[in-house]
Amino acid sequence: MKAVALGGGHGLSITLASLRELTDDITAVVTVADDGGSSGRMRRELDLLPPGDLRKAITALAGADHPLLAEVFGHRFGGDGVLAGHAVGNMLLGGMLEVLADPVRALDETMRLFGARGRVLPMCVNPLDIEADVIGLDADPRAVRRIRGQVAVATTPGKVQRIRLHGNGGPEHPPVACREAVEAVLEADLVLLGPGSWFTSVLPHLLVPELHDALVETAAQRVVVVNLVPQPGETSGFSQERHLYVLHEHAPRLRVDAVVADTGAVDAPGELRAAATALDAHVELADVARADAGERHDPVALASAIRKATQR
């Protein structure tokens, strides 16, 4: 089975760990809009793709087979010098990107260094910027303010209404999809969206025109994995069904085969099923949360739920 997972950060890492239970043919398509921390510094100073989410995806696919290398890859330098806070893996990816001047080849070569299964691809081969319409930041609760940048959107105390995606040069530069990522989606048997930061890791894939069209046109089974809890900031107060309505608002042409949600996280199963109907999807409820950390998915349990959802 050819599986493609789209996302970023810890949510994508969970999805990739789950897919490893189902298949060896896995492609991760990763967001490239991060502008904070080590990734943001490298993006601004070296004009590179932000490497952090790409590094996490590589570690998720390779870490179980190479635990020491994965630990070193994620290690951050201490101290208070120019290297403070930079992850070793970010530095290696930055070097690969500069030497090879080809993001796809750089990621393929890094995976080869690990001897890892699967493939990691950027959503776009150039950095992107996220722009959001947010309410609740002014005395007038209905006033809409436009904010820009992944960190700003992810941490806003307001309520995000809608996001847009721009190329690195601004609104006049629309995002252009990575060709290999589009091909992977079109050739897949299974495509997963979520879990993860809804506005900054999941929805951006739907705002890249070529990638959006591939997600609409692919013959793969399309599965959405809903977050277990709202994320402070960008999805504060969101119900499970609200995640689906926002997804549909941003990509009304997208049809989904199944929505996977945690039984204990769903307060109103009927309302979740109604929201899924707007996507033409059925709902697979299962106990997919970790017993020791209810805000995170259990990869093995999630893999089982995905398998059941795609066998209907």
Side-chain angles (χ1 to χ4, degrees):
M1 179 177 66
K2 293 183 178 180
V4 176
L6 302 99
H10 296 296
L12 180 59
S13 296
I14 291 294
T15 306
L16 296 175
S18 298
L19 286 176
R20 280 175 55 99
E21 303 287 327
L22 303 176
T23 181
D24 288 337
D25 195 340
I26 304 169
T27 299
V29 179
V30 186
T31 53
V32 288
D34 194 0
D35 59 358
S38 169
S39 290
R41 288 164 60 191
M42 294 184 70
R43 171 180 173 168
R44 289 188 296 273
E45 294 171 14
L46 302 174
D47 193 27
L48 298 174
L49 285 178
D53 285 346
L54 298 166
R55 167 182 57 81
K56 290 173 186 174
I58 292 171
T59 303
L61 287 175
D65 298 325
H66 306 279
L68 177 58
L69 191 54
E71 182 180 355
V72 172
F73 211 54
H75 174 74
R76 292 186 183 274
F77 294 106
D80 54 7
V82 293
L83 292 180
H86 278 302
V88 172
N90 287 2
M91 304 294 284
L92 175 61
L93 279 173
M96 283 283 196
L97 290 165
E98 282 207 328
V99 170
L100 297 176
D102 180 344
V104 173
R105 186 182 170 201
L107 289 162
D108 285 345
E109 292 296 335
T110 304
M111 290 290 283
R112 193 169 290 116
L113 284 177
F114 270 93
R117 299 177 290 174
R119 196 178 194 192
V120 174
L121 295 170
M123 179 173 70
C124 300
V125 295
N126 295 302
L128 300 175
D129 288 314
I130 295 174
E131 185 178 83
D133 293 334
V134 181
I135 62 172
L137 297 177
D138 299 284
D140 180 355
R142 297 169 298 177
V144 177
R145 187 183 297 186
R146 186 168 293 179
I147 62 175
R148 188 167 183 174
Q150 179 169 326
V151 172
V153 175
T155 59
T156 179
K159 294 183 178 180
V160 180
Q161 301 296 291
R162 191 169 188 87
I163 62 166
R164 289 170 294 278
L165 210 57
H166 303 311
N168 210 22
E172 65 277 11
H173 294 81
V176 178
C178 169
R179 175 177 55 82
E180 291 82 355
V182 171
E183 292 172 353
V185 170
L186 290 173
E187 296 170 3
D189 301 303
L190 171 66
V191 173
L192 295 182
L193 274 169
S197 300
W198 214 244
F199 285 104
T200 54
S201 291
V202 178
L203 295 181
H205 293 86
L206 301 169
L207 303 182
V208 180
E210 301 97 326
L211 198 52
H212 168 273
D213 291 348
L215 287 165
V216 169
E217 296 166 8
T218 182
Q221 291 201 69
R222 288 159 290 208
V223 177
V224 172
V225 181
V226 184
N227 291 344
L228 294 166
V229 295
Q231 181 175 346
E234 62 180 85
T235 55
S236 292
F238 267 41
S239 63
Q240 302 291 308
E241 56 270 18
R242 180 60 182 154
H243 286 81
L244 300 186
Y245 285 128
V246 168
L247 178 66
H248 182 59
E249 289 167 4
H250 282 78
R253 291 175 54 213
L254 179 68
R255 294 296 175 260
V256 175
D257 295 279
V259 172
V260 174
D262 180 68
T263 306
V266 177
D267 296 324
E271 293 183 16
L272 180 64
R273 290 190 175 93
T277 299
L279 299 168
D280 287 348
H282 72 269
V283 174
E284 184 70 35
L285 291 177
D287 295 326
V288 293
R290 282 176 46 177
D292 61 339
E295 74 283 359
R296 291 184 180 271
H297 288 83
D298 178 271
V300 176
L302 182 56
S304 177
I306 292 169
R307 184 186 292 111
K308 286 181 63 178
T310 55
Q311 288 176 346
R312 284 198 180 189

